[in-house]
Amino acid sequence: MKIGRNDPCWCGSGKKYKYCHEEFDKKVEKIRLEGHVVPPRKLIKTPEQVEKIRKSAVINRACLDAVAERIHEGMSTLEIDEIINEVTYGAGAIPAPLNYAGFPKSVCTSVNDQVCHGIPSKDVILKEGDIVNVDCSTILDGYYSDSSRMFMIGEVSEKKKKLVRVTKECCDLGLAEVKPWGFLGDVAEAINTHAMENGFSVVREIGGHGVGLEFHEDPFVSYVINRGEGMLLAPGFMFTIEPMVNAGTCQFYTDEENKWEVFTLDGEPSAQWEYQVLVTEDGYELISW
């Protein structure tokens, strides 16, 4: 859509286009013409939207903080779901996973060889040696936040300890590559290289996503592409860094009955951390973690 230089900017700032996003749009178009994938305007968050997403993220982080304080050997994963509901609804927010495409609970709890989308259950009891990913997504006033953390129950094996640590390191290395006018592939290459150097594999078919105004926005965020590939990291673009790292093969299968829970094909453990990130003019802002 063509906008006159003296018209109000498309971002809703109230400023004239020439004083707001005109130069931004010119730079994005130049990069697009060079053959790169660039974010459409709908993926660029305005300052007002970012502020509302930040408020959602405060609750999102509080949920995971509460789990960190109360998780213990002998509790069921359903109790984790209850903690999420208590904090989320208590803050006037809504758990995004509940009833999303039929998902039956308010959080994902993926234990040991579960890659993702583990369904909380009274029958899944955490025991010493388990590792569990708690993936929490929050809606506040229509704005979304999304992050996950790993938890180790009691004494876990050295292999599991290494997997959890290296997966966190992968996220941190990927985060360091988030720079304005870079590319998602810069993040991916840092993550995949570190995982492989440590003898692990990164799941290919499941990845991150844009987020903020919807639960899952474009693009699909792969962690197995190369530097310089993938969508342009334009200021205002928000997405998740959430590689799923397997101790063995990157192959997986989905439970045939519930159609949600994903497991490693070889039964080896899997780990995942998730950050919600905003690209800024001078780097990034960590929105939730």
Side-chain angles (χ1 to χ4, degrees):
M1 182 177 66
K2 293 289 186 181
I3 300 178
R5 299 186 70 237
N6 290 310
D7 291 339
C9 186
W10 54 262
C11 75
S13 66
K15 298 178 183 178
K16 291 182 178 181
Y17 179 54
K18 64 184 178 183
Y19 296 131
C20 197
H21 272 91
E22 183 181 28
E23 291 304 314
F24 172 94
D25 283 347
K26 287 180 179 177
K27 189 165 187 174
V28 169
E29 179 62 8
K30 179 178 181 295
I31 293 170
R32 186 188 71 80
L33 291 173
E34 291 171 353
H36 294 287
V37 178
V38 302
R41 288 174 181 169
K42 68 180 181 179
L43 295 185
I44 303 300
K45 306 299 186 285
T46 69
E48 292 77 16
Q49 290 169 340
V50 170
E51 183 56 33
K52 291 176 180 178
I53 295 167
R54 288 191 189 109
K55 291 178 180 178
S56 175
V58 170
I59 301 167
N60 189 254
R61 299 195 303 272
C63 286
L64 291 174
D65 288 345
V67 172
E69 290 175 2
R70 295 158 64 177
I71 195 169
H72 62 272
E73 181 183 358
M75 76 184 300
S76 71
T77 54
L78 183 62
E79 290 176 77
I80 296 175
D81 189 75
E82 291 167 353
I83 293 170
I84 298 300
N85 282 329
E86 174 188 319
V87 176
T88 303
Y89 289 119
I94 301 169
L98 185 61
N99 298 320
Y100 176 81
F103 191 79
K105 297 296 180 181
S106 296
V107 68
C108 296
T109 52
S110 304
V111 183
N112 295 330
D113 64 332
Q114 286 184 315
V115 177
C116 60
H117 303 159
I119 300 173
S121 169
K122 63 180 177 59
D123 298 323
V124 179
I125 307 300
L126 298 178
K127 61 184 184 298
E128 182 164 6
D130 285 343
I131 58 172
V132 54
N133 175 262
V134 179
D135 190 347
C136 180
S137 308
T138 308
I139 312 170
L140 179 66
D141 298 329
Y143 293 86
Y144 291 78
S145 51
D146 189 9
S147 62
S148 80
R149 301 179 195 171
M150 291 297 300
F151 298 97
M152 295 185 286
I153 308 301
E155 286 297 318
V156 306
S157 68
E158 289 302 317
K159 178 167 69 174
K160 286 181 176 177
K161 283 182 183 178
K162 180 182 178 182
L163 177 64
V164 171
R165 172 180 57 80
V166 169
T167 304
K168 178 70 160 55
E169 290 170 353
C170 284
C171 288
D172 291 336
L173 289 167
L175 184 63
E177 292 292 335
V178 179
K179 300 168 186 175
W181 312 113
F183 297 91
L184 283 173
D186 306 348
V187 177
E189 186 171 286
I191 288 170
N192 197 31
T193 297
H194 189 64
M196 290 193 300
E197 286 176 348
N198 282 277
F200 301 140
S201 63
V202 177
V203 173
R204 294 174 173 271
E205 293 86 353
I206 312 172
H209 51 89
V211 66
L213 305 185
E214 298 177 17
F215 193 174
H216 296 101
E217 302 174 6
D218 289 336
F220 170 74
V221 179
S222 171
Y223 303 107
V224 293
I225 57 176
N226 299 317
R227 180 174 295 276
E229 297 177 350
M231 186 170 280
L232 173 70
L233 298 176
F237 174 52
M238 188 180 290
F239 67 103
T240 63
I241 296 176
E242 50 173 323
M244 297 163 203
V245 181
N246 295 349
T249 177
C250 63
Q251 295 179 303
F252 60 85
Y253 70 92
T254 302
D255 185 278
E256 292 184 358
E257 290 187 12
N258 62 48
K259 309 297 183 183
W260 276 107
E261 295 180 311
V262 177
F263 297 82
T264 59
L265 189 61
D266 56 8
E268 290 292 310
S270 181
Q272 177 193 22
W273 297 79
E274 179 179 8
Y275 299 159
Q276 182 174 352
V277 186
L278 172 71
V279 184
T280 64
E281 294 286 351
D282 55 2
Y284 64 83
E285 177 184 343
L286 196 52
I287 298 293
S288 199
W289 58 92

